[in-house]
């Protein structure tokens, strides 16, 4: 994979998956900026922390600053997000707003802010993180699955909207990712079945590469052996 000199932004870039994506894209030669609500990582010179990407103005300001630093924008990876398991009977209605905001609205705001820069570049790539769980929602997964189903529809609609602009828009749909948080939540599970962040980062790097120029509007499951 060669992404030499390509400017890329990874939202949620300080998280478990986002950090693996930042690392993989840098290894492929890209210049990468991470934008996250979490505090800026000390080791990451090109990182923007404390940004709520569900706020359109904050998203635009952070994306504009990152693009200035990168010298242009070729790729946006929307990896900001969160998970909650809650039944409707015992859960809180506010959880539906929360997950809509962190999983869907962050991708909407970051993508909208990125579009003028991608167009100025003459084309580019957007990769969203959906979820396999959105295909068929299990009990307790309603709010999460609904928000990730929204990410799938954003992906489809924006890919159609951007066909004439040379911007591809795709989504990867992980099942349970092998993260420290998931290991802590499910200590008895067989971790070897879970997809590794590095494997998802590899797929995302492919979708950003020249080889994937003709792929757009795709929703690609990546589920390890789950
Ligand atoms: N982990 C899984 O098993 C799994 C499975 C399928 C899909 N996914 C999706 O994959 C993506 C990454 O998951 P992960 O496990 O790497 O999660 P993670 O470690 O929690 O990282 C997500 C990052 O996104 C940030 N974020 C959340 N809301 C934000 C906002 N409004 N503005 C800016 N940044 C925000 C978080 O910051 P804070 O710490 O401040 O919240 C966090 O740093 C998410 O979209 C998730 O839904 C995960």
């Amino acid at each position: 994979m060669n992404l030499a000199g390509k400017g890329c932004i990874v939202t949620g870039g300080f998280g478990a998956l986002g950090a693996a994506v930042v690392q993989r894209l840098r290894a492929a030669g890209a210049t990468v900026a991470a934008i996250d609500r979490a505090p800026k990582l000390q080791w990451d010179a090109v990182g923007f922390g404390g940004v709520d990407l569900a706020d359109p103005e904050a998203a635009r300001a952070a994306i504009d600053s990152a693009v200035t630093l990168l010298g242009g924008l070729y790729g946006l990876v929307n990896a900001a997000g969160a998970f909650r398991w809650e039944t409707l009977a015992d859960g809180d209605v506010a959880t539906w707003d929360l997950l809509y905001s962190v999983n869907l609205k962050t991708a909407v705001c970051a993508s909208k802010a990125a579009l003028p820069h991608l167009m100025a570049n003459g084309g580019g790539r957007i990769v969203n993180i959906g979820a396999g769980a959105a295909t068929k929602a299990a009990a307790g997964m309603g709010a999460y699955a609904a928000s990730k189903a929204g990410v799938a529809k954003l992906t489809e609609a924006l890919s159609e909207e951007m066909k004439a602009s040379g911007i591809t828009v795709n989504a990867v749909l992980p099942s349970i990712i092998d993260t420290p948080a998931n290991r802590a939540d499910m200590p008895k599970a067989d971790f070897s079945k879970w997809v590794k962040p590095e494997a998802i980062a590899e797929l995302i790097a492919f979708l950003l590469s020249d080889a994937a120029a003709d792929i757009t509007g795709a929703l690609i499951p990546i589920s390890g052996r789950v």
Side-chain angles (χ1 to χ4, degrees):
M1 229 78 72
N2 182 6
L3 299 173
K6 301 216 187 258
C8 296
I9 292 174
V10 180
T11 77
F14 301 160
L17 175 59
V21 174
V22 169
Q23 202 173 14
R24 181 64 187 92
L25 301 188
R26 284 187 181 151
T31 49
V32 187
I35 302 177
D36 206 303
R37 185 174 59 189
K40 180 172 163 6
L41 296 180
Q42 296 248 312
W43 52 265
D44 197 334
V46 197
F48 296 80
V51 180
D52 180 3
L53 288 164
D55 173 345
E57 272 313 302
R60 195 189 47 74
I63 296 263
D64 286 354
S65 301
V67 173
T68 301
L69 210 63
L70 296 170
L73 185 64
Y74 164 80
L76 170 70
V77 180
N78 286 312
F83 176 76
R84 295 285 186 283
W85 187 95
E86 257 182 37
T87 61
L88 193 61
D90 296 329
D92 191 337
V93 169
T95 302
W96 291 71
D97 287 328
L98 172 78
L99 293 184
Y100 174 88
S101 178
V102 297
N103 287 333
L104 177 56
K105 205 170 167 205
T106 55
V108 170
C109 294
S111 299
K112 188 169 172 60
L115 286 180
H117 300 294
L118 294 171
M119 285 179 183
N121 182 61
R125 304 276 197 272
I126 297 176
V127 180
N128 295 321
I129 316 300
T135 312
K136 170 80 173 76
M141 299 284 279
Y144 179 72
S147 70
K148 290 297 190 179
V151 172
K153 294 302 137 185
L154 164 69
T155 304
E156 289 174 351
L158 191 56
S159 72
E160 291 295 330
E161 185 182 331
M162 288 299 130
K163 270 184 182 162
S165 305
I167 300 168
T168 71
V169 188
N170 294 293
V172 300
L173 315 181
S175 54
I176 303 174
I177 305 173
D178 188 3
T179 65
N182 280 339
R183 285 190 181 212
D185 286 347
M186 293 167 269
K188 293 192 176 143
D190 179 354
F191 307 145
S192 72
K193 291 186 174 171
W194 294 350
V195 62
K196 304 273 179 278
E198 293 74 20
I200 302 170
E202 194 65 33
L203 173 58
I204 292 169
F206 167 72
L207 289 170
L208 289 167
S209 73
D210 288 347
D214 289 330
I215 303 174
T216 193
L219 308 173
I220 306 174
I222 176 160
S223 53
R225 291 186 292 114
V226 171

